[in-house]
Amino acid sequence: MINHDDALKAVESSLDRPSAARIYDYFIGGDTHYAIDRDFAEKVRERLPLIGEYCLTSRQFLGRAIRQCVREGLRQFVDIGSGLPTAGNVHEVADEARPELDTRVLYIDNEPIALAHSTLLLADTADPERHHAIAADFLRPEDLWDRVAASAVIDVREPIALVINAVMHFVKDEQNPDHLLDYYRARLAPGSLLVLSQMTNENPVDEDERQALLDLLEYYETTTNPACMRSMAEFERFFGGWPLLEPGLVYAPAWHPDEHTVFAGAPSQSRVIGGVARKP
Protein backbone atom coordinates (compact mmCIF):
# COMPACT_ATOMS: atom_id res chain seq x y z
CA MET A 1 0.00 0.00 0.00
CA ILE A 2 1.34 3.46 -0.85
CA ASN A 3 1.85 5.92 1.96
CA HIS A 4 -0.41 8.87 2.74
CA ASP A 5 1.83 11.57 1.20
CA ASP A 6 2.30 9.63 -2.05
CA ALA A 7 -1.45 9.05 -2.20
CA LEU A 8 -2.12 12.78 -1.95
CA LYS A 9 0.39 13.47 -4.72
CA ALA A 10 -1.24 10.85 -6.97
CA VAL A 11 -4.66 12.40 -6.44
CA GLU A 12 -3.37 15.90 -7.21
CA SER A 13 -1.60 14.73 -10.39
CA SER A 14 -4.76 13.08 -11.75
CA LEU A 15 -6.99 16.12 -11.93
CA ASP A 16 -6.25 16.94 -15.57
CA ARG A 17 -8.41 14.07 -16.88
CA PRO A 18 -11.55 12.19 -15.88
CA SER A 19 -11.08 9.10 -13.75
CA ALA A 20 -13.32 6.12 -14.51
CA ALA A 21 -13.35 5.24 -10.81
CA ARG A 22 -14.42 8.74 -9.76
CA ILE A 23 -17.05 8.93 -12.54
CA TYR A 24 -18.61 5.73 -11.19
CA ASP A 25 -18.40 7.15 -7.68
CA TYR A 26 -20.28 10.26 -8.86
CA PHE A 27 -23.01 8.21 -10.51
CA ILE A 28 -23.64 6.12 -7.39
CA GLY A 29 -23.82 9.10 -5.05
CA GLY A 30 -20.33 9.07 -3.56
CA ASP A 31 -18.33 12.19 -2.81
CA THR A 32 -14.87 11.40 -4.22
CA HIS A 33 -14.98 13.18 -7.56
CA TYR A 34 -14.06 16.48 -9.13
CA ALA A 35 -15.43 18.88 -11.73
CA ILE A 36 -13.64 17.14 -14.61
CA ASP A 37 -15.28 13.84 -13.62
CA ARG A 38 -18.72 15.38 -13.20
CA ASP A 39 -18.52 17.14 -16.57
CA PHE A 40 -17.75 13.86 -18.36
CA ALA A 41 -20.48 12.05 -16.40
CA GLU A 42 -23.11 14.63 -17.32
CA LYS A 43 -22.11 14.43 -21.00
CA VAL A 44 -22.77 10.70 -20.84
CA ARG A 45 -26.04 11.24 -18.95
CA GLU A 46 -27.31 13.59 -21.68
CA ARG A 47 -27.15 10.70 -24.15
CA LEU A 48 -28.09 7.90 -21.77
CA PRO A 49 -30.31 9.42 -19.06
CA LEU A 50 -30.44 6.25 -16.92
CA ILE A 51 -26.66 5.73 -16.73
CA GLY A 52 -26.65 6.72 -13.06
CA GLU A 53 -29.30 4.12 -12.30
CA TYR A 54 -27.31 1.50 -14.22
CA CYS A 55 -24.25 2.22 -12.05
CA LEU A 56 -26.37 2.16 -8.90
CA THR A 57 -27.74 -1.21 -10.02
CA SER A 58 -24.19 -2.59 -10.16
CA ARG A 59 -23.39 -1.24 -6.71
CA GLN A 60 -26.60 -2.58 -5.18
CA PHE A 61 -25.95 -5.99 -6.72
CA LEU A 62 -22.50 -5.95 -5.14
CA GLY A 63 -23.95 -5.31 -1.71
CA ARG A 64 -26.56 -8.05 -1.99
CA ALA A 65 -23.97 -10.49 -3.33
CA ILE A 66 -21.58 -9.78 -0.45
CA ARG A 67 -24.32 -10.33 2.10
CA GLN A 68 -25.23 -13.63 0.40
CA CYS A 69 -21.57 -14.69 0.40
CA VAL A 70 -21.46 -14.07 4.15
CA ARG A 71 -24.63 -16.13 4.60
CA GLU A 72 -22.97 -18.90 2.57
CA GLY A 73 -20.11 -18.97 5.07
CA LEU A 74 -17.43 -16.96 3.26
CA ARG A 75 -15.19 -14.82 5.47
CA GLN A 76 -12.58 -13.49 3.05
CA PHE A 77 -13.11 -11.33 -0.01
CA VAL A 78 -10.86 -10.35 -2.91
CA ASP A 79 -12.33 -7.43 -4.88
CA ILE A 80 -10.56 -7.06 -8.25
CA GLY A 81 -11.11 -3.76 -10.02
CA SER A 82 -12.51 -2.35 -6.81
CA GLY A 83 -12.22 1.31 -7.79
CA LEU A 84 -12.84 3.69 -4.94
CA PRO A 85 -13.99 2.60 -1.50
CA THR A 86 -17.26 4.48 -1.63
CA ALA A 87 -20.94 4.13 -0.84
CA GLY A 88 -21.63 0.47 0.03
CA ASN A 89 -18.09 -0.83 -0.21
CA VAL A 90 -17.27 -4.47 0.47
CA HIS A 91 -15.70 -4.25 3.91
CA GLU A 92 -18.54 -2.17 5.31
CA VAL A 93 -21.22 -4.50 3.90
CA ALA A 94 -19.35 -7.55 5.18
CA ASP A 95 -18.94 -6.04 8.64
CA GLU A 96 -22.63 -5.18 8.79
CA ALA A 97 -23.47 -8.76 7.83
CA ARG A 98 -20.99 -10.20 10.37
CA PRO A 99 -21.16 -8.32 13.69
CA GLU A 100 -18.35 -10.64 14.83
CA LEU A 101 -16.08 -8.51 12.59
CA ASP A 102 -14.12 -11.53 11.40
CA THR A 103 -14.29 -10.91 7.65
CA ARG A 104 -11.22 -9.85 5.66
CA VAL A 105 -11.15 -7.82 2.47
CA LEU A 106 -8.41 -7.18 -0.08
CA TYR A 107 -9.12 -4.43 -2.60
CA ILE A 108 -7.20 -4.56 -5.88
CA ASP A 109 -7.05 -1.97 -8.65
CA ASN A 110 -4.56 -1.09 -11.36
CA GLU A 111 -5.49 2.59 -11.48
CA PRO A 112 -2.98 4.56 -9.38
CA ILE A 113 -5.66 7.10 -8.59
CA ALA A 114 -8.00 4.41 -7.26
CA LEU A 115 -5.28 3.02 -5.03
CA ALA A 116 -4.41 6.50 -3.83
CA HIS A 117 -8.01 7.24 -2.86
CA SER A 118 -8.28 3.79 -1.28
CA THR A 119 -5.26 4.51 0.90
CA LEU A 120 -6.77 7.77 2.08
CA LEU A 121 -10.32 6.53 2.58
CA LEU A 122 -9.51 3.18 4.18
CA ALA A 123 -7.50 5.04 6.78
CA ASP A 124 -10.76 6.56 7.95
CA THR A 125 -13.22 3.68 7.55
CA ALA A 126 -11.38 0.38 7.83
CA ASP A 127 -9.60 -1.97 10.22
CA PRO A 128 -5.95 -2.13 9.07
CA GLU A 129 -5.67 -5.65 10.44
CA ARG A 130 -8.45 -6.94 8.16
CA HIS A 131 -8.74 -4.53 5.22
CA HIS A 132 -5.99 -3.74 2.72
CA ALA A 133 -5.73 -2.16 -0.75
CA ILE A 134 -3.00 -3.14 -3.20
CA ALA A 135 -2.02 -2.32 -6.77
CA ALA A 136 -2.27 -5.10 -9.37
CA ASP A 137 -3.65 -5.56 -12.86
CA PHE A 138 -6.49 -7.97 -13.67
CA LEU A 139 -4.86 -8.49 -17.06
CA ARG A 140 -1.67 -9.82 -15.39
CA PRO A 141 -3.16 -12.72 -13.45
CA GLU A 142 0.02 -14.43 -12.27
CA ASP A 143 1.41 -11.24 -10.75
CA LEU A 144 -1.94 -10.32 -9.25
CA TRP A 145 -2.43 -13.68 -7.59
CA ASP A 146 1.12 -13.68 -6.25
CA ARG A 147 0.26 -10.41 -4.52
CA VAL A 148 -2.96 -11.86 -3.14
CA ALA A 149 -1.06 -14.85 -1.76
CA ALA A 150 1.55 -12.56 -0.22
CA SER A 151 -1.00 -10.29 1.42
CA ALA A 152 -1.44 -10.25 5.16
CA VAL A 153 -5.23 -10.59 5.06
CA ILE A 154 -6.04 -13.43 2.60
CA ASP A 155 -5.32 -17.15 2.99
CA VAL A 156 -5.52 -18.56 -0.55
CA ARG A 157 -5.75 -22.11 0.85
CA GLU A 158 -9.23 -21.32 2.20
CA PRO A 159 -12.43 -20.44 0.29
CA ILE A 160 -12.53 -16.89 -1.06
CA ALA A 161 -15.32 -14.76 -2.43
CA LEU A 162 -13.70 -13.43 -5.61
CA VAL A 163 -15.53 -10.28 -6.66
CA ILE A 164 -15.19 -8.95 -10.21
CA ASN A 165 -18.08 -6.50 -10.24
CA ALA A 166 -18.70 -4.04 -13.10
CA VAL A 167 -15.27 -4.89 -14.54
CA MET A 168 -15.77 -7.30 -17.42
CA HIS A 169 -17.31 -4.63 -19.67
CA PHE A 170 -13.84 -3.05 -19.60
CA VAL A 171 -12.22 -6.30 -20.83
CA LYS A 172 -12.69 -6.86 -24.54
CA ASP A 173 -12.59 -10.32 -26.11
CA GLU A 174 -9.25 -9.54 -27.80
CA GLN A 175 -7.77 -9.25 -24.28
CA ASN A 176 -8.58 -12.95 -23.77
CA PRO A 177 -10.95 -12.76 -20.81
CA ASP A 178 -11.56 -16.51 -21.01
CA HIS A 179 -7.91 -17.23 -20.16
CA LEU A 180 -8.02 -14.67 -17.34
CA LEU A 181 -11.13 -16.14 -15.73
CA ASP A 182 -9.81 -19.68 -16.22
CA TYR A 183 -6.67 -18.71 -14.34
CA TYR A 184 -8.47 -17.06 -11.43
CA ARG A 185 -11.02 -19.84 -11.06
CA ALA A 186 -8.21 -22.43 -10.98
CA ARG A 187 -6.51 -20.62 -8.10
CA LEU A 188 -9.57 -20.65 -5.84
CA ALA A 189 -10.08 -23.29 -3.16
CA PRO A 190 -13.17 -25.53 -3.38
CA GLY A 191 -16.18 -23.82 -1.83
CA SER A 192 -15.10 -20.40 -3.10
CA LEU A 193 -17.66 -18.10 -4.69
CA LEU A 194 -17.25 -16.07 -7.88
CA VAL A 195 -19.23 -12.82 -8.11
CA LEU A 196 -19.49 -11.39 -11.65
CA SER A 197 -21.49 -8.62 -13.27
CA GLN A 198 -21.27 -6.38 -16.31
CA MET A 199 -23.34 -4.15 -18.58
CA THR A 200 -25.29 -5.81 -21.37
CA ASN A 201 -26.66 -4.61 -24.71
CA GLU A 202 -29.21 -7.41 -24.84
CA ASN A 203 -32.79 -6.56 -25.82
CA PRO A 204 -32.70 -2.73 -26.04
CA VAL A 205 -36.20 -1.34 -25.70
CA ASP A 206 -36.01 0.51 -29.01
CA GLU A 207 -33.66 1.73 -31.72
CA ASP A 208 -32.82 4.89 -29.78
CA GLU A 209 -31.60 2.90 -26.79
CA ARG A 210 -29.60 0.58 -29.03
CA GLN A 211 -27.85 3.60 -30.55
CA ALA A 212 -27.38 5.22 -27.14
CA LEU A 213 -25.57 2.12 -25.90
CA LEU A 214 -23.30 2.25 -28.96
CA ASP A 215 -22.66 5.93 -28.25
CA LEU A 216 -21.74 5.07 -24.66
CA LEU A 217 -19.06 2.71 -25.91
CA GLU A 218 -17.78 5.41 -28.24
CA TYR A 219 -17.51 7.89 -25.36
CA TYR A 220 -15.45 5.43 -23.33
CA GLU A 221 -13.11 4.86 -26.26
CA THR A 222 -11.75 8.34 -25.44
CA THR A 223 -10.90 7.32 -21.87
CA THR A 224 -8.30 4.98 -20.39
CA ASN A 225 -11.08 2.39 -20.00
CA PRO A 226 -12.53 1.40 -23.41
CA ALA A 227 -15.61 -0.75 -22.94
CA CYS A 228 -17.70 -3.49 -24.50
CA MET A 229 -21.04 -5.13 -23.77
CA ARG A 230 -22.11 -8.76 -23.82
CA SER A 231 -25.30 -10.78 -23.99
CA MET A 232 -26.29 -13.25 -21.28
CA ALA A 233 -25.01 -16.14 -23.42
CA GLU A 234 -21.69 -14.41 -24.08
CA PHE A 235 -21.23 -13.60 -20.38
CA GLU A 236 -22.23 -16.92 -18.82
CA ARG A 237 -19.06 -18.63 -20.01
CA PHE A 238 -17.02 -16.65 -17.51
CA PHE A 239 -18.43 -18.77 -14.67
CA GLY A 240 -16.68 -21.81 -16.18
CA GLY A 241 -19.65 -24.11 -15.76
CA TRP A 242 -19.67 -23.77 -11.97
CA PRO A 243 -23.10 -24.17 -10.33
CA LEU A 244 -24.79 -20.80 -10.00
CA LEU A 245 -26.52 -19.83 -6.79
CA GLU A 246 -30.21 -19.18 -7.23
CA PRO A 247 -31.62 -17.46 -9.21
CA GLY A 248 -28.72 -18.00 -11.64
CA LEU A 249 -27.41 -15.49 -14.15
CA VAL A 250 -30.07 -12.79 -14.37
CA TYR A 251 -30.55 -9.09 -14.75
CA ALA A 252 -29.01 -7.76 -11.56
CA PRO A 253 -32.20 -6.34 -10.00
CA ALA A 254 -33.72 -9.85 -10.13
CA TRP A 255 -30.88 -11.23 -7.99
CA HIS A 256 -32.31 -11.32 -4.44
CA PRO A 257 -33.91 -7.87 -4.68
CA ASP A 258 -34.69 -5.92 -1.53
CA GLU A 259 -36.70 -2.80 -0.76
CA HIS A 260 -33.91 -0.55 -2.11
CA THR A 261 -33.40 -2.28 -5.47
CA VAL A 262 -33.75 0.03 -8.46
CA PHE A 263 -35.48 -1.51 -11.50
CA ALA A 264 -36.94 -4.23 -9.24
CA GLY A 265 -40.20 -4.00 -11.19
CA ALA A 266 -38.50 -4.16 -14.58
CA PRO A 267 -35.07 -5.81 -14.18
CA SER A 268 -34.27 -5.93 -17.90
CA GLN A 269 -34.28 -2.12 -18.04
CA SER A 270 -31.24 -2.04 -15.77
CA ARG A 271 -28.73 -2.97 -18.52
CA VAL A 272 -26.75 -4.95 -15.88
CA ILE A 273 -26.46 -8.74 -15.62
CA GLY A 274 -24.86 -10.70 -12.81
CA GLY A 275 -24.61 -13.90 -10.83
CA VAL A 276 -22.69 -15.83 -8.17
CA ALA A 277 -21.23 -19.30 -8.71
CA ARG A 278 -19.64 -21.79 -6.30
CA LYS A 279 -16.51 -23.83 -7.01
CA PRO A 280 -17.29 -27.53 -6.56
Side-chain angles (χ1 to χ4, degrees):
M1 185 180 293
I2 60 177
N3 65 46
H4 188 276
D5 288 342
D6 288 343
L8 283 173
K9 290 176 184 176
V11 171
E12 291 167 358
S13 69
S14 75
L15 300 183
D16 63 337
R17 59 196 184 281
S19 158
R22 293 194 307 251
I23 293 164
Y24 181 75
D25 179 73
Y26 173 66
F27 278 136
I28 66 173
D31 56 12
T32 308
H33 43 75
Y34 300 93
I36 194 168
D37 308 304
R38 295 188 289 271
D39 290 346
F40 181 90
E42 290 306 326
K43 174 186 174 183
V44 173
R45 201 198 303 269
E46 285 180 11
R47 186 65 187 94
L48 203 63
L50 292 178
I51 185 65
E53 286 80 356
Y54 301 159
C55 293
L56 183 57
T57 292
S58 292
R59 199 65 178 183
Q60 290 182 339
F61 169 76
L62 173 65
R64 298 195 306 275
I66 296 305
R67 285 189 286 274
Q68 186 63 35
C69 287
V70 170
R71 287 192 288 268
E72 297 284 336
L74 276 292
R75 298 293 178 263
Q76 49 180 0
F77 298 82
V78 174
D79 186 358
I80 301 179
S82 53
L84 302 174
T86 185
N89 54 67
V90 171
H91 73 272
E92 291 179 337
V93 174
D95 278 357
E96 288 173 3
R98 282 288 295 177
E100 296 87 345
L101 302 182
D102 59 354
T103 57
R104 289 162 285 141
V105 179
L106 184 64
Y107 293 105
I108 302 174
D109 207 283
N110 70 333
E111 255 195 277
I113 188 58
L115 182 65
H117 281 298
S118 295
T119 300
L120 298 173
L121 296 176
L122 286 177
D124 294 331
T125 68
D127 178 350
E129 297 296 317
R130 299 185 294 117
H131 309 134
H132 289 184
I134 64 172
D137 191 339
F138 177 69
L139 301 179
R140 299 180 59 202
E142 294 88 352
D143 175 71
L144 184 148
W145 204 255
D146 284 347
R147 293 173 188 239
V148 172
S151 74
V153 296
I154 298 297
D155 182 350
V156 296
R157 299 167 298 180
E158 298 296 325
I160 292 169
L162 181 62
V163 178
I164 308 174
N165 185 61
V167 170
M168 295 308 296
H169 43 245
F170 293 123
V171 183
K172 296 186 176 183
D173 282 351
E174 54 263 36
Q175 294 171 294
N176 205 353
D178 300 274
H179 165 73
L180 296 170
L181 269 298
D182 285 348
Y183 182 90
Y184 291 119
R185 289 193 309 268
R187 307 270 98 57
L188 295 172
S192 292
L193 294 174
L194 177 61
V195 179
L196 293 176
S197 75
Q198 84 151 74
M199 283 193 69
T200 182
N201 54 2
E202 190 162 350
N203 298 324
V205 296
D206 54 28
E207 179 60 24
D208 184 64
E209 185 182 37
R210 186 192 70 80
Q211 185 59 51
L213 293 170
L214 291 174
D215 292 345
L216 177 65
L217 298 180
E218 185 175 340
Y219 289 157
Y220 272 86
E221 284 294 322
T222 67
T223 75
T224 57
N225 300 96
C228 65
M229 296 188 193
R230 295 182 175 93
S231 68
M232 289 267 194
E234 291 168 333
F235 187 66
E236 187 168 12
R237 71 186 197 266
F238 295 145
F239 292 101
W242 290 2
L244 285 151
L245 302 188
E246 292 296 332
L249 174 58
V250 294
Y251 285 99
W255 203 91
H256 299 280
D258 57 28
E259 66 274 18
H260 305 294
T261 302
V262 295
F263 298 112
S268 65
Q269 293 180 16
S270 70
R271 300 286 107 219
V272 180
I273 53 178
V276 179
R278 184 188 301 279
K279 184 168 185 175

